[in-house]
Structures are given as C-alpha cells and as structure tokens.
Amino acid sequence: ANAVAAAGRAADSIVYSSAFVLCAGRDEAEVARRASVIGREVDEMRSNSPLVGSPAEIVDKLGPWRDLGVQRVYAQLLD
C-alpha cells in the first residue's frame, strides 16, 4: 500500500494477486500421487503454497491471503 501511495495511486486502483503451484486431490493419496508426478514432495509443497490438499483445505488456506488483501489467485498446473 505504501508503494502504491508513493506512486500517487489509490490503493484500490490495482488488483492484488498471487501465484501458487496447485496440487489438489480428493484425499491425501491423490495429493501425494499428483505431487510425485511433478517430482515434488507434499510436505515441501505445503510449505510453499496454500493450493495443496483437498478443495476444502485449499479454501481454508486461502482465507489469510484474502485477509492480506489478495484479490486474485493464479494457479500453476504442472501435471
């Protein structure tokens, strides 16, 4: 917000966005299978992206990002 103000723009004049790798599944086994397809470990991915887990888990993990002001999330699909 400070950088936006310093540029002479209103805080609501831009869209705040984030990009994350997506690794979703119906259960832990499916998440693990999808992680292995892209050569990643589930625990490592969970530490780097809120878009890892079941759909409900992902929704819960996106809440804090929304609270920080993120308005748009880009999901990177690697598989």
mmCIF file of all heavy atoms in Angstrom, residues 1 10-12 18 23 30 37-38 54 58 63 67 72:
data_model
loop_
_atom_site.group_PDB
_atom_site.id
_atom_site.type_symbol
_atom_site.label_atom_id
_atom_site.label_comp_id
_atom_site.label_asym_id
_atom_site.label_seq_id
_atom_site.Cartn_x
_atom_site.Cartn_y
_atom_site.Cartn_z
ATOM 1 N N ALA A 1 0.816 -1.191 0.000
ATOM 2 C CA ALA A 1 0.000 0.000 0.000
ATOM 3 C C ALA A 1 0.859 1.253 0.000
ATOM 4 O O ALA A 1 0.514 2.227 -0.645
ATOM 5 C CB ALA A 1 -0.953 -0.008 1.188
ATOM 6 N N ALA A 10 -4.292 5.414 -5.971
ATOM 7 C CA ALA A 10 -5.181 4.971 -4.897
ATOM 8 C C ALA A 10 -4.985 3.480 -4.677
ATOM 9 O O ALA A 10 -4.749 2.721 -5.623
ATOM 10 C CB ALA A 10 -6.634 5.257 -5.268
ATOM 11 N N ALA A 11 -5.076 3.045 -3.430
ATOM 12 C CA ALA A 11 -4.867 1.631 -3.098
ATOM 13 C C ALA A 11 -5.818 0.713 -3.849
ATOM 14 O O ALA A 11 -5.465 -0.417 -4.180
ATOM 15 C CB ALA A 11 -5.002 1.421 -1.600
ATOM 16 N N ASP A 12 -7.021 1.183 -4.147
ATOM 17 C CA ASP A 12 -7.988 0.340 -4.851
ATOM 18 C C ASP A 12 -7.885 0.451 -6.371
ATOM 19 O O ASP A 12 -8.733 -0.057 -7.088
ATOM 20 C CB ASP A 12 -9.413 0.641 -4.383
ATOM 21 C CG ASP A 12 -9.856 2.065 -4.681
ATOM 22 O OD1 ASP A 12 -9.038 2.880 -5.181
ATOM 23 O OD2 ASP A 12 -11.030 2.373 -4.407
ATOM 24 N N SER A 18 -1.602 -13.129 -6.364
ATOM 25 C CA SER A 18 -0.541 -14.068 -6.009
ATOM 26 C C SER A 18 -0.642 -15.261 -6.943
ATOM 27 O O SER A 18 -1.710 -15.577 -7.442
ATOM 28 C CB SER A 18 -0.688 -14.548 -4.564
ATOM 29 O OG SER A 18 -0.454 -13.507 -3.661
ATOM 30 N N CYS A 23 -1.769 -28.344 -6.275
ATOM 31 C CA CYS A 23 -1.682 -29.806 -6.160
ATOM 32 C C CYS A 23 -2.860 -30.240 -5.290
ATOM 33 O O CYS A 23 -2.752 -30.308 -4.065
ATOM 34 C CB CYS A 23 -0.353 -30.224 -5.542
ATOM 35 S SG CYS A 23 -0.105 -32.015 -5.531
ATOM 36 N N GLU A 30 -4.298 -39.096 -3.284
ATOM 37 C CA GLU A 30 -4.357 -38.436 -4.594
ATOM 38 C C GLU A 30 -3.445 -37.221 -4.635
ATOM 39 O O GLU A 30 -2.766 -36.980 -5.637
ATOM 40 C CB GLU A 30 -5.800 -38.042 -4.930
ATOM 41 C CG GLU A 30 -5.936 -37.533 -6.348
ATOM 42 C CD GLU A 30 -7.385 -37.347 -6.780
ATOM 43 O OE1 GLU A 30 -8.260 -37.116 -5.911
ATOM 44 O OE2 GLU A 30 -7.625 -37.434 -7.983
ATOM 45 N N VAL A 37 4.026 -36.958 -9.527
ATOM 46 C CA VAL A 37 4.022 -36.800 -10.989
ATOM 47 C C VAL A 37 4.868 -35.598 -11.409
ATOM 48 O O VAL A 37 5.520 -35.619 -12.446
ATOM 49 C CB VAL A 37 2.571 -36.668 -11.526
ATOM 50 C CG1 VAL A 37 2.544 -36.175 -12.959
ATOM 51 C CG2 VAL A 37 1.843 -37.994 -11.406
ATOM 52 N N ILE A 38 4.884 -34.570 -10.580
ATOM 53 C CA ILE A 38 5.662 -33.375 -10.919
ATOM 54 C C ILE A 38 6.995 -33.336 -10.166
ATOM 55 O O ILE A 38 7.669 -32.310 -10.136
ATOM 56 C CB ILE A 38 4.851 -32.074 -10.685
ATOM 57 C CG1 ILE A 38 4.421 -31.929 -9.229
ATOM 58 C CG2 ILE A 38 3.664 -32.020 -11.639
ATOM 59 C CD1 ILE A 38 3.755 -30.588 -8.916
ATOM 60 N N SER A 54 -6.933 -30.970 -0.157
ATOM 61 C CA SER A 54 -8.305 -31.153 -0.651
ATOM 62 C C SER A 54 -8.886 -29.778 -0.995
ATOM 63 O O SER A 54 -8.385 -28.755 -0.527
ATOM 64 C CB SER A 54 -9.166 -31.819 0.416
ATOM 65 O OG SER A 54 -9.380 -30.905 1.493
ATOM 66 N N ILE A 58 -7.829 -26.222 0.771
ATOM 67 C CA ILE A 58 -7.309 -25.097 -0.014
ATOM 68 C C ILE A 58 -8.125 -23.840 0.254
ATOM 69 O O ILE A 58 -7.564 -22.756 0.442
ATOM 70 C CB ILE A 58 -7.277 -25.465 -1.512
ATOM 71 C CG1 ILE A 58 -6.180 -26.520 -1.749
ATOM 72 C CG2 ILE A 58 -7.065 -24.227 -2.380
ATOM 73 C CD1 ILE A 58 -6.208 -27.155 -3.117
ATOM 74 N N GLY A 63 -7.955 -18.176 2.971
ATOM 75 C CA GLY A 63 -8.531 -17.126 3.809
ATOM 76 C C GLY A 63 -7.526 -16.089 4.277
ATOM 77 O O GLY A 63 -7.757 -14.883 4.118
ATOM 78 N N ASP A 67 -7.355 -12.039 3.584
ATOM 79 C CA ASP A 67 -7.261 -11.067 4.667
ATOM 80 C C ASP A 67 -6.093 -10.103 4.480
ATOM 81 O O ASP A 67 -6.142 -8.970 4.956
ATOM 82 C CB ASP A 67 -7.142 -11.772 6.018
ATOM 83 C CG ASP A 67 -8.387 -12.607 6.354
ATOM 84 O OD1 ASP A 67 -9.446 -12.400 5.712
ATOM 85 O OD2 ASP A 67 -8.274 -13.467 7.251
ATOM 86 N N ARG A 72 -6.876 -11.803 -6.314
ATOM 87 C CA ARG A 72 -6.851 -12.759 -7.428
ATOM 88 C C ARG A 72 -5.719 -13.751 -7.161
ATOM 89 O O ARG A 72 -4.643 -13.355 -6.780
ATOM 90 C CB ARG A 72 -6.601 -12.021 -8.733
ATOM 91 C CG ARG A 72 -6.593 -12.903 -9.954
ATOM 92 C CD ARG A 72 -6.465 -12.092 -11.233
ATOM 93 N NE ARG A 72 -7.654 -11.260 -11.378
ATOM 94 C CZ ARG A 72 -7.660 -10.110 -12.049
ATOM 95 N NH1 ARG A 72 -6.579 -9.650 -12.611
ATOM 96 N NH2 ARG A 72 -8.776 -9.414 -12.136
#
